[in-house]
Amino acid sequence: MAESISRRRFLAGAGVLAAGGGALVAGCAEGRSPAGARQPGFVAFHGRHQTGIAVQPSPAQGLMASFTVLARDRAELAGMFRDLTDEIAGLMSGRPLEVRDPAYPPVDSGILGPEPAPDDLSVVVSVGASLFDDRHGLAARRPRELVEMPFLANDRLDPDRSHGDLLLTVQAGHADSVIFALRQLMRRTRRTLTLRWVIDGYNRPSAPGGRGTGSPRNLLGFLDGTANLATDPTLLARHVWVSPADDEPAWTAGGSYHAVRIIRMLVEFWDRAPLAEQEAIMGRHKASGAPLGAEHETDVPDFASDPEGAVTPLDAHIRLANPRTRATDRNLILRRGFSYTRGYDGAGQLDQGLAFVSYQRSLEHGFLAVQKRLTGEPLEEYIRPEGGGFFFALPGVPSRGGHLAEGLLA
Amino acid sequence: MRRAFLIVLLAAVPLALAAGCGDDGADAPATGTSATGPSPDDALVRAAVAGYQEYVAEQTDQIVARTTVFTDAVRAGRLAAARAAYAPSREPWERIEPIAGLIEASDGAVDSRVDAFAGPDDPDFTGWHRLEYILWEQGTTAGAARFASRLDRDLAALRAGVSQLEIPPAAMALGASELIQEVSAGKITGEEDRYSKTDLWDFAANVEGAEKIIELLDPALQKADPELLARIESGFDDLDASLEALEEGDGYVLFCQENDEYPAPDLCPRTTVTQARIDTMKGQLAGLSEDLALVPGVLGLS
């Protein structure tokens, strides 16, 4: 596999993130104000799957932090996952913080005040291929398709910003909630986890100029997420969650392969391209988000009756990413990325792009299949994958008393 | 790099823990560490502080004695001897750094790094690191004599100040945590001794100074929170094992990292401290820091 994919690369362009939809996760404490506006709530922690993976709506702020695991043996590793579980469950449910005698340092940074308000906070814990090396004797339990993300054709992967033993994905309505959670989680695990890389960003849920779907716009200016896997549990079961029937170690059931790609967008170059070219490259109208030749964002493109690419070029991004054929149906993935911006480069250009995230039942039939189709697309000129990694999002913790990775370490 | 020292604690010490402190949390969801142990008046704490006062005096004498060997070599123009005496002269300083920092202005004059100045030629850039810059980066003792004599004078003033200093118990207790944080923030990056690459001497001395504090507080901690004490001791054991692996001759290997932010090809033809080793030590330092930060609370010192 590595050989064939090493010549390819992937883009995360148009079409990220399931739009709107109803609340997926049972127990998500979502309320509505008298005026009908959605109020922030607590996301239930317990479940067969980690609830943050598919919770809707996707929160406005996101962060991924990759760590090197320092635990020296299985016992320390299990202790680390127990600590993470306890801290995440507490953070997600708004557990009151301990108040200590003032002679002690406070147990939290205090940046959210004495009683952190509900803010749709969720945390997802994923593990990288390197956790299954010889350190903890887990080699035989490695998810079958989990390898270190190969260097793909268009990639300029920075090793300092790629891969990792463990990845935390934190999402919430506001940036301070995200930072608070990260700091608390790190404080709890300072002996066993050390940072490798961090990226954060935003995902404005209702994009300016959009009509109703709430799809965010990416930094290329296009609506992104229109054709994402929605919240239908049947679809998620088919495309996202590893099933007990899959040819995988038993502990993986309920988890999901987790691909992360830090894709720099060369926005200066892109912004100088004619609108017609931009739209032909993406396969959508920029303003409305509608597929070329259609009127509304949610209109389904009819590629079958456009075999020559007269309306939508054959190499347009949305056409390659999702050809909407029966054969490619199994390649659907759940995208949960966010836009990032992190200063500027040596040439004085803004360093920004998409922190692409996809969850899928199989990397081979999900991310890698899509990436293979996108290889050589015209959009490649305007993007540059610089980091990320392949991870496996652990199965959820069904009930109190259990902890993340319990099956992996059993 | 500026350090966060403990000057504020001087003012805070007379405020012995009010009786209500541990009791008024009735409506707070407190769990665990809310009770306090002994107070600053506790005989065990008093004995520890007295022992520490003695230790600090010894180390201060050592600073002056060892630094004189260093500065004499600089003034005599003996480059190799000066270089050899540099790291040892810093060890006693690094052992008691948070306390030495209580003496106003001494830290800035003797231990500032070049980052605090517009450039290495800034006349206010004095102390060990100015000399380090001249001896290694410029490869000479020329122009170094006046900085050597200035260092001697500043350290003499430090010794005079320390002899007058009554060490606040809280400053001692927090000092252990400060020393380890000093290592986590500055030593592990290689920025402290960027020209000489002798960071591990400072690193080890910071750890020794912190261990000394816990050793002196051992009886008090044994009484107040033996579980915390055991965690701290095992944290020191882990860190000591990491340092032991980096010993070489009478000291340590030079601090040569992969992708060093301060490259020195002559001193560092190869990596001596791997990223994996650094990651391990980062975790050990951070974990120990979390535990050490609880010591003043456990001992009721605020």
Side-chain angles (χ1 to χ4, degrees):
Chain A
M1 182 172 75
E3 182 55 30
S4 61
I5 47 183
S6 70
R7 321 260 10 126
R8 297 172 187 133
R9 78 203 144 87
F10 184 71
L11 143 79
V16 170
L17 273 260
L24 165 74
V25 179
C28 173
E30 180 179 324
R32 287 187 186 274
S33 75
R38 190 186 165 279
Q39 297 295 305
F42 292 113
V43 179
F45 169 72
H46 292 102
R48 281 190 56 226
H49 318 293
Q50 292 194 72
T51 50
I53 293 174
V55 67
Q56 292 291 349
S58 190
Q61 299 289 329
L63 176 148
M64 288 180 278
S66 171
F67 295 86
T68 298
V69 169
L70 304 172
R72 289 169 297 191
D73 51 40
R74 286 278 267 280
E76 281 190 8
L77 195 60
M80 178 195 86
F81 280 115
R82 270 195 298 273
D83 285 345
L84 276 176
T85 305
D86 180 63
E87 197 64 37
I88 292 170
L91 286 164
M92 284 175 64
S93 65
R95 183 169 65 202
L97 295 156
E98 177 194 339
V99 177
R100 273 181 180 162
D101 184 289
Y104 289 88
V107 295
D108 72 295
S109 62
I111 65 169
L112 297 180
E115 241 174 276
D119 198 23
D120 300 322
L121 175 77
S122 66
V123 180
V124 175
V125 180
S126 308
V127 295
S130 52
L131 191 69
F132 298 87
D133 63 15
D134 55 7
R135 279 172 296 169
H136 301 105
L138 296 174
R141 301 186 184 193
R142 185 174 55 82
R144 209 175 48 81
E145 297 183 8
L146 186 63
V147 293
E148 182 177 286
M149 186 170 76
F151 217 92
L152 308 169
N154 194 36
D155 284 8
R156 311 279 170 79
L157 295 188
D158 175 353
D160 292 339
R161 287 168 167 178
S162 305
H163 319 306
D165 295 333
L166 184 137
L167 186 79
L168 294 180
T169 303
V170 187
Q171 298 177 96
H174 297 86
D176 51 5
S177 300
V178 170
I179 297 299
F180 178 80
L182 176 66
R183 181 75 193 97
Q184 291 304 100
L185 290 164
M186 284 181 61
R187 205 166 169 175
R188 190 72 185 265
T189 53
R190 283 311 262 137
R191 271 203 166 74
T192 44
L193 288 178
T194 193
L195 272 176
R196 185 178 166 96
W197 53 265
V198 177
I199 193 152
D200 65 343
Y202 68 91
N203 215 342
R204 188 166 166 177
S206 197
R211 299 249 175 87
T213 65
S215 306
R217 275 183 198 277
N218 63 26
L219 285 160
L220 299 179
F222 279 75
L223 289 175
D224 196 342
T226 308
N228 202 0
L229 264 185
T231 56
D232 177 353
T234 318
L235 285 178
L236 293 176
R238 189 182 308 151
H239 297 292
V240 176
W241 313 123
V242 170
S243 150
D246 293 350
D247 179 21
E248 291 282 1
W251 72 268
T252 60
S256 187
Y257 283 98
H258 182 179
V260 177
R261 304 276 288 166
I262 309 303
I263 300 172
R264 169 104 187 254
M265 291 173 162
L266 308 174
V267 293
E268 297 215 12
F269 191 22
W270 175 257
D271 290 347
R272 292 177 192 126
L275 178 61
E277 186 187 330
Q278 293 185 6
E279 294 187 334
I281 287 172
M282 299 308 304
R284 284 188 186 276
H285 293 293
K286 196 169 188 179
S288 66
L292 294 181
E295 218 177 315
H296 304 291
E297 184 197 341
T298 47
D299 289 346
V300 175
D302 184 6
F303 298 139
S305 49
D306 178 28
E308 306 296 323
V311 179
T312 307
L314 299 177
D315 56 6
H317 180 70
I318 67 162
R319 190 161 187 167
L320 293 171
N322 184 358
R324 300 184 188 254
T325 66
R326 188 177 280 260
T328 57
D329 175 73
R330 78 180 299 199
N331 305 139
L332 294 179
I333 56 183
L334 173 66
R335 284 163 296 150
R336 298 282 294 192
F338 52 79
S339 293
Y340 71 86
T341 176
R342 52 180 181 190
Y344 60 95
D345 67 10
Q349 300 203 353
L350 292 171
D351 179 3
Q352 55 183 27
L354 175 69
F356 169 89
V357 171
S358 71
Y359 293 97
Q360 52 267 298
R361 184 172 174 180
S362 155
L363 279 173
E364 194 186 330
H365 298 302
F367 169 79
L368 289 170
V370 177
Q371 180 228 24
K372 183 175 171 183
R373 285 200 298 269
L374 289 170
T375 300
E377 65 165 338
L379 187 60
E380 279 184 355
E381 269 193 84
Y382 299 95
I383 58 172
R384 184 192 298 153
E386 294 183 336
F390 286 171
F391 299 91
F392 189 84
L394 297 169
V397 179
S399 57
R400 266 170 216 289
H403 67 82
L404 290 161
E406 200 168 1
L408 167 63
L409 300 176
Chain B
M1 291 281 155
R2 289 252 164 260
R3 299 185 184 88
F5 279 130
L6 300 166
I7 290 158
V8 287
L9 287 172
L10 284 168
V13 166
L15 301 172
L17 201 65
C21 249
D23 305 324
D24 63 2
D27 54 352
T31 60
T33 48
S34 60
T36 54
S39 74
D41 299 329
D42 184 274
L44 296 176
V45 173
R46 277 206 315 270
V49 175
Y52 193 54
Q53 192 93 39
E54 222 170 280
Y55 176 75
V56 169
E58 282 165 24
Q59 294 304 313
T60 314
D61 290 345
Q62 280 288 311
I63 296 172
V64 172
R66 291 203 196 177
T67 302
T68 308
V69 174
F70 170 55
T71 52
D72 281 349
V74 171
R75 279 183 293 261
R78 293 159 52 221
L79 182 62
R83 284 178 171 179
Y86 167 80
S89 75
R90 294 177 50 74
E91 284 176 306
W93 161 266
E94 293 289 340
R95 287 187 194 111
I96 60 163
E97 200 170 2
I99 297 304
L102 291 176
I103 307 303
E104 209 174 327
S106 69
D107 181 58
V110 304
D111 198 26
S112 277
R113 301 173 199 167
V114 67
D115 316 79
F117 305 94
D121 297 329
D122 190 319
D124 290 335
F125 176 34
T126 60
W128 272 297
H129 295 303
R130 177 69 184 247
L131 288 161
E132 183 200 8
Y133 171 76
I134 297 172
L135 297 176
W136 273 275
E137 195 71 4
Q138 301 187 318
T140 179
T141 56
R146 64 194 174 93
F147 292 105
S149 299
R150 167 77 194 271
L151 180 59
D152 286 341
R153 284 200 303 280
D154 287 334
L155 290 176
L158 170 78
R159 177 155 67 171
V162 167
S163 71
Q164 302 296 311
L165 182 72
E166 199 177 316
I167 297 173
M172 171 188 176
L174 204 54
S177 172
E178 292 258 339
L179 281 161
I180 298 303
Q181 288 181 60
E182 172 70 20
V183 185
S184 334
K187 308 300 195 291
I188 198 77
T189 56
E191 65 194 68
E192 175 87 42
D193 297 300
R194 67 189 66 171
Y195 310 116
S196 64
K197 302 290 174 193
T198 55
D199 302 85
L200 287 170
W201 276 260
D202 291 20
F203 186 138
N206 285 155
V207 175
E208 278 169 37
E211 281 179 304
K212 181 68 185 183
I213 290 170
I214 295 305
E215 182 192 313
L216 289 163
L217 289 171
D218 187 291
L221 283 169
Q222 195 68 256
K223 192 170 135 192
D225 191 342
E227 204 179 302
L228 175 68
L229 178 63
R231 276 210 311 275
I232 289 172
E233 283 174 342
S234 107
F236 277 125
D237 287 347
D238 293 343
L239 206 45
D240 288 340
S242 290
L243 278 167
E244 217 167 282
L246 297 169
E247 285 176 359
E248 190 177 79
D250 293 339
Y252 296 89
V253 297
L254 296 183
F255 198 73
C256 301
Q257 316 166 65
E258 297 156 33
N259 308 316
D260 200 330
E261 199 182 328
Y262 311 100
D266 292 348
L267 294 173
C268 288
R270 62 182 182 87
T271 298
T272 55
V273 189
T274 61
Q275 191 57 46
R277 170 79 63 195
I278 290 172
D279 281 345
T280 300
M281 293 196 296
K282 276 184 200 165
Q284 291 170 340
L285 291 163
L288 187 54
S289 293
E290 293 286 340
D291 286 334
L292 289 172
L294 302 178
V295 168
V298 161
L299 297 179
L301 309 170
S302 60

